Amino acid sequence: MNALSPRARLAVVLLAVLLLGGGSLGYVLRARQQAAPQQTTADASFTLAGPRLYYRDGDTGRVAYQADPTTAPVIGGPSCERFHAAGDTALCLQRRPGLPATADAVVLDRQLRETQRIALPGIPNRARVSASGRILAWTMFATGDSYATSAFSTRTSILNLNTGYLIKSMEQIPLTIDGTRYHAPDVNYWGVTFAADDNRFYATVATKGRTYLVQGDLAAWTATALRENVECPSLSPDNTRIAFKKRVTDGPDSPWRLYLLDLRTMTERPLAEPHSVDDQAAWLDDNTIGYALPTPDGHGTDLWSVPADGTGTPRLTVPGASSPVAVL
Amino acid sequence: MTYLATTGRRDDAPAPPPTGGGAGRRIPATVLALGTVSLVTDVSSEMVTAVLPLYLVLGLGLSPLQFGFLDGLFNAASAVVRLIGGHAADRGGRHKRIAGIGYLLSACSRLGLLLAGGATAGLATALAADRVGKGIRTAPRDALISLSGPPETLGRSFGVHRAMDTTGALLGPLVAFTVLWATADAYDAVFVVSFCIGLLGVLVLLLYVPGGPALPTVSLSAVSRPTPVRTKALAPLRDPAFRRILAVAALLGAATIGDSFVFLLLQRGLDLAPGWFPLLPLGVAASYLLLAIPAGRIADRFGRRLPFLCGHLALLGGYVVLLTPLTPAAVVLVLVLLGVFYAATDGVLMALAGPVLPAVGRAGGLALLQTGQALTRLLGTAGFGAAWTLWGQRPALYAALTLLAVALTCGWALLRNPSHPERPTP
C-alpha cells in the first residue's frame, strides 16, 4: 500500500475516518436511543407492604414484588442496583452513569419516598437495613485503591437514622483477632447484618488474604473476629443463626457455597444449594434462605431459595431477579 | 495484501538521515507515523482498560475475584509472546507485518469482548488476544523506530514516540467516559468505538509506515526466502555491551516497587478521597508526556546512560518523599518525579540499547531487554508487597530505598565502563 501516492493515501485515511467515525457515531446514537431512562422514583401506588417478597427486576432494574404466584409481578419501584428494606425504611443503591464509578445511597420511607440521598464513590454491592429500620449499612466496591493492580477493595458505610450519624468507612473500627488488637493497612469490611437490638452486628473482614466473621458493637465501636472463612453473613430473624458464603476452592471457578452457622453452638453446616453463590443471602422467613444465582447463560441472575437447615433442594423463586427481601 | 509485496522494495524508505549529525531537526517520518499509530491505538486500548473492571463486574456480574483472575491470567504469558514477536520480526525483517498483526489482533479483541457476553471462556480469549497483540507488536515497533533514523537522534525519536503514545493513553479514558455518558453506560458502544479507532490505527500503520526497516542486510531476498543471517533468540546475549545494559535494566527493574504501590502510599499518606484516586496516574502520564521529548534530546546530547540513571535517581527521590509527612505539594512532587523517571528511562533505554544491537537482530534484542525488565519489575513489586505485609509500610519503603540505591550504584559502575562506543556513528 506504500505504493500509493501521498494524495491517495490521505484520501484512504480520510475515507476510513469518515466510515469508522460514522459507524461509531451511529452505534453510539443507537445505544443512546435504546438506553432506558433510569426510573429514580417509585410509582405512587408502589409502597412497602407485607408480607411480600420484594426484589430487583433484572430487565428493568426496578424494584418489584409478586403479590401472589399466579399473577404477574408488580414492577413499580425505583431503579436500584441493590435493594433492602425493613421496618419503615428502604435502602436503594443507585448507580450513576459514567466514569469513575459513583453511586447514590437513597434512603426511602415505607411509601418509597426519598428521605435522604448520599453520594458515594464506587460500585454498589451490599445493602442492609436493621429490623427496626433505624440502622442502615451498605458496601461499595472501590476500584483503584488496592495495591494488587486493578483489583477491587470494599468500603462499608453505616448510617444511624436515630442520630443521623454516618460512618463513611468502618475501616477504622478497633478490631480484635485471636484476642489481640489487630492493626493492618489492608483491612476490608463488607456485608454487614444487624441484630434486633440495633447495636450488635456481624460483618466480614478480610486481611492478608483471610476472611473472618466479626461480631461488632455499634455503641462501643468495637469488632471481634469470631471465626475464619465466613463471608457476607446474614442473621436469621430470630438472631440465632447466620447464613453465609464460605470459600471452598481457591480458584475462580465456583469458589463459594452457602453455609449456615449456629451462633449458640458455633457449628456450621452446608445448605443444599450445590452452586457457587456470590450474594449476601436473605432470610425469607425463619426457615428459608433466598439468594441470587447467575442464570445459565451468564446474563443476569435468578432468585432461588433453599431450606435453612441443610435439607431439601433449591427452588427457583423468581426468574431474572436479585436483591431479595422479605418485607413483613 | 500489497504491503507485503513492497517489503523489500522500499520505494518509500525513510529519508536518508541528514548528514553532518547535529543539523538534523526533522523527526523521521517513520517515527511520526508510528507515533500516530501508537496514539490512535492507545486511545482505543485505554478506553477498554478504563471500563473493563466496571463492565465485567457491573455489566456481567462477575465477582471481583473472577475479574482478578481474568486480569492477571495473561500477564506472564505476554512476556513470552513479546520474545516471539521480536524474533519473528527479525526473521526476514518483517517488522511491519508482525507489528501490524499485533495491532490488528488487539483491535479485533474488542469485537471478541462484544460477542463473548457473559461467557468467561470467551472473555478470557478476547483478553488473551489483546495481550498477545500488545506483546508481539512492541519490540518490532521499537526496532522500526530505532532503525528509522541515525543513531545520534534516537533519544529524540523515542521521546517523540513515547509522548504521542502517552497522549493517546490520556485521551482514551476521556473518550470512554464521553461514550458512557452519552449512552447511559452502554459498554458495547465503548467496545465498538474502540474497535473502529483500533482499525484506524492499523490502517495508518499500513499506509504510512514503510514496509521494511532501513537495513542493508534485508533485501529482496527477505520476501522470497529466509534471510541467510538467521538470528537466534538469545544471540544478543553474546554481546558484552548488550549484556551489561540488560543486567542494569533488570537490576534496576527489580528495585522498583510498582506504580500501584506508590499511588496507594500516596492515598494513605494524605487520606485522599477515593474519587481523586484515578487522577494520580493521570498526573504521572501528564508529566511523562511533557518530559519525554526533552529527556530524549538530553540523551542525544549527553549520552543515554546519564538520563537513564538520573531517571532512577528521580525515582529514588520519589521514595524519599514518600517517607516524609505527605502534603499535597509532596504528592505533586512524587507524581512529577515518577513522570521524570519514565521520561528518562523508557524510551531512553531503547535508544541506549538500539545501536548496540545488530540491525538484523534488533527487534529480538529489544524484546529480550523489555521482557527482562518487565519480569524483574514484577519481581520487585511482588517483593515490596511481601515486605509491606511482613514488616509494615515504612520498613518496606526503607528496604526499597536501600535496594534502589545499591542497584543504582551497581548500574553506574556497569554502564560507566566505556568498552563499547555508545554512538557507533559519531
Side-chain angles (χ1 to χ4, degrees):
Chain A
M1 276 201 211
N2 281 299
L4 296 176
S5 72
R7 186 173 291 201
R9 273 188 285 178
L10 192 65
V12 172
V13 167
L14 286 180
L15 189 69
V17 167
L18 278 180
L19 280 177
L20 294 171
S24 299
L25 194 67
Y27 198 94
V28 167
L29 289 179
R30 197 184 65 110
R32 185 189 173 86
Q33 231 162 21
Q34 284 178 343
Q38 208 187 33
Q39 193 74 33
T40 49
T41 54
D43 298 348
S45 60
F46 193 95
T47 59
L48 288 184
R52 265 181 202 159
L53 176 65
Y54 286 76
Y55 55 85
R56 175 185 188 269
D57 176 62
D59 286 336
T60 59
R62 299 180 72 178
V63 174
Y65 66 83
Q66 190 133 27
D68 76 85
T70 56
T71 59
V74 182
I75 304 170
S79 286
C80 306
E81 289 296 321
R82 198 78 205 186
F83 180 78
H84 198 256
D88 290 329
T89 310
L91 173 60
C92 167
L93 302 184
Q94 289 180 343
R95 257 272 284 153
R96 289 196 290 189
L99 284 172
T102 51
D104 286 339
V106 187
V107 183
L108 306 153
D109 64 14
R110 222 170 155 85
Q111 271 64 52
L112 293 175
R113 289 174 307 213
E114 181 177 330
T115 58
Q116 200 174 339
R117 180 177 285 264
I118 299 151
L120 305 156
I123 302 166
N125 177 235
R126 305 283 180 243
R128 269 297 185 272
V129 180
S130 75
S132 70
R134 305 307 296 163
I135 316 284
L136 283 61
W138 58 83
T139 301
M140 308 284 288
F141 281 131
T143 48
D145 67 345
S146 166
Y147 53 71
T149 338
S150 67
F152 288 82
S153 64
T154 59
R155 188 168 288 108
T156 295
S157 312
I158 297 175
L159 173 64
N160 185 337
L161 291 183
N162 293 321
T163 59
Y165 191 69
L166 168 69
I167 294 153
K168 275 194 170 173
S169 167
M170 61 175 290
E171 258 174 39
Q172 300 305 321
I173 189 170
L175 169 68
T176 303
I177 296 182
D178 296 333
T180 53
R181 180 83 162 76
Y182 184 81
H183 300 272
D186 70 340
V187 292
N188 251 308
Y189 289 87
W190 66 86
V192 172
T193 182
F194 297 103
D197 62 4
D198 273 358
N199 184 53
R200 183 163 49 107
F201 69 90
Y202 296 89
T204 315
V205 66
T207 175
K208 295 182 180 163
R210 295 161 190 260
T211 58
Y212 301 87
L213 171 70
V214 296
Q215 179 180 316
D217 186 311
L218 276 184
W221 197 237
T222 57
T224 311
L226 295 182
R227 193 181 181 83
E228 216 181 303
N229 198 3
V230 174
E231 288 182 58
C232 291
S234 182
L235 192 59
S236 62
D238 63 8
N239 286 205
T240 60
R241 291 154 296 157
I242 278 176
F244 66 98
K245 55 181 232 214
K246 175 174 176 158
R247 185 82 181 262
V248 290
T249 62
D250 283 331
D253 292 323
S254 56
W256 294 291
R257 291 289 182 281
L258 274 185
Y259 271 70
L260 188 84
L261 174 69
D262 191 316
L263 289 171
R264 291 162 300 194
T265 59
M266 288 308 266
T267 52
E268 63 178 38
R269 76 170 69 130
L271 299 187
E273 172 59 65
H275 293 102
S276 180
V277 176
D278 179 17
D279 193 15
Q280 185 171 21
W283 290 78
L284 304 186
D285 56 53
D286 256 323
N287 302 308
T288 316
I289 284 165
Y291 50 91
L293 267 187
T295 55
D297 66 359
H299 289 277
T301 56
D302 295 328
L303 268 191
W304 290 76
S305 58
V306 70
D309 58 2
T311 64
T313 50
R315 193 173 65 83
L316 179 63
T317 313
V318 187
S322 60
S323 272
V325 52
V327 171
L328 303 173
Chain B
M1 289 178 136
T2 34
Y3 76 94
L4 295 183
T6 59
T7 305
R9 217 187 310 149
R10 317 203 6 144
D11 45 0
D12 218 34
T19 44
R25 294 232 156 198
R26 277 180 49 215
I27 311 289
T30 307
V31 172
L32 288 179
L34 284 169
T36 310
V37 173
S38 285
L39 191 155
V40 172
T41 307
D42 256 29
V43 171
S44 162
S45 69
E46 290 301 313
M47 281 178 75
V48 173
T49 308
V51 304
L52 201 60
L54 287 181
Y55 170 67
L56 294 181
V57 171
L58 255 181
L60 297 180
L62 254 64
S63 76
L65 184 74
Q66 286 170 302
F67 170 73
F69 270 91
L70 269 184
D71 196 53
L73 200 52
F74 310 106
N75 272 338
S78 75
V80 180
V81 167
R82 199 193 317 241
L83 290 177
I84 295 171
H87 188 55
D90 280 336
R91 294 184 58 178
R94 301 178 295 191
H95 297 67
K96 177 177 169 179
R97 200 190 314 177
I98 301 294
I101 291 170
Y103 281 116
L104 192 63
L105 206 55
S106 288
C108 290
S109 74
R110 323 289 183 235
L111 285 188
L113 284 177
L114 198 66
L115 298 176
T120 317
L123 289 170
T125 312
L127 292 178
D130 181 46
R131 297 280 156 89
V132 168
K134 260 187 198 143
I136 63 175
R137 77 192 179 215
T138 312
R141 181 201 64 202
D142 281 350
L144 275 175
I145 295 173
S146 85
L147 292 167
S148 66
E152 61 269 22
T153 60
L154 278 192
R156 194 186 50 175
S157 287
F158 275 105
V160 168
H161 176 266
R162 296 302 197 258
M164 294 176 83
D165 187 83
T166 311
T167 307
L170 280 171
L171 289 176
L174 221 61
V175 176
F177 174 82
T178 313
V179 171
L180 280 188
W181 171 79
T183 59
D185 282 3
Y187 296 100
D188 54 338
V190 175
F191 297 144
V192 168
V193 174
S194 167
F195 170 68
C196 289
I197 296 178
L199 275 192
L200 192 66
V202 176
L203 191 74
V204 173
L205 178 89
L206 288 187
L207 289 174
Y208 284 96
V209 176
L215 21 155
T217 35
V218 177
S219 60
L220 279 164
S221 65
V223 189
S224 46
R225 62 195 144 86
T227 339
V229 200
R230 286 288 285 275
T231 57
K232 292 205 176 64
L234 297 179
L237 288 179
R238 280 203 291 270
D239 179 54
F242 178 76
R243 264 206 317 261
R244 216 172 289 131
I245 295 173
L246 177 63
V248 172
L251 190 66
L252 286 167
T256 55
I257 64 175
D259 290 357
S260 37
F261 273 120
V262 173
F263 298 146
L264 190 68
L265 288 167
L266 287 179
Q267 197 244 344
R268 283 182 189 279
L270 206 62
D271 204 10
L272 220 56
W276 290 94
F277 205 83
L279 292 182
L280 297 178
L282 286 188
V284 175
S287 69
Y288 178 17
L289 167 64
L290 291 176
L291 295 169
I293 297 174
R297 284 181 168 277
I298 291 171
D300 286 341
R301 184 162 304 173
F302 301 103
R304 277 132 207 172
R305 306 176 191 111
L306 185 74
F308 183 69
L309 294 170
C310 287
H312 284 89
L313 207 59
L315 186 66
L316 192 80
Y319 293 176
V320 173
V321 178
L322 282 175
L323 281 164
T324 64
L326 286 179
T327 59
V331 172
V332 172
L333 183 61
V334 171
L335 297 184
V336 170
L337 283 172
L338 263 187
V340 171
F341 163 61
Y342 282 114
T345 58
D346 187 23
V348 171
L349 178 63
M350 295 299 115
L352 174 65
V356 173
L357 293 159
V360 278
R362 192 159 293 182
L366 293 183
L368 210 58
L369 185 60
Q370 289 164 349
T371 300
Q373 191 185 37
L375 287 181
T376 54
R377 273 189 182 165
L378 218 61
L379 212 67
T381 304
F384 185 77
W388 183 336
T389 313
L390 223 59
W391 305 327
Q393 175 180 322
R394 285 184 79 83
L397 206 49
Y398 275 117
L401 200 69
T402 316
L403 206 63
L404 184 57
V406 171
L408 204 50
T409 316
C410 294
W412 208 284
L414 274 171
L415 281 188
R416 206 187 39 185
N417 189 339
S419 72
H420 72 86
E422 195 191 319
R423 305 178 196 179
T425 47

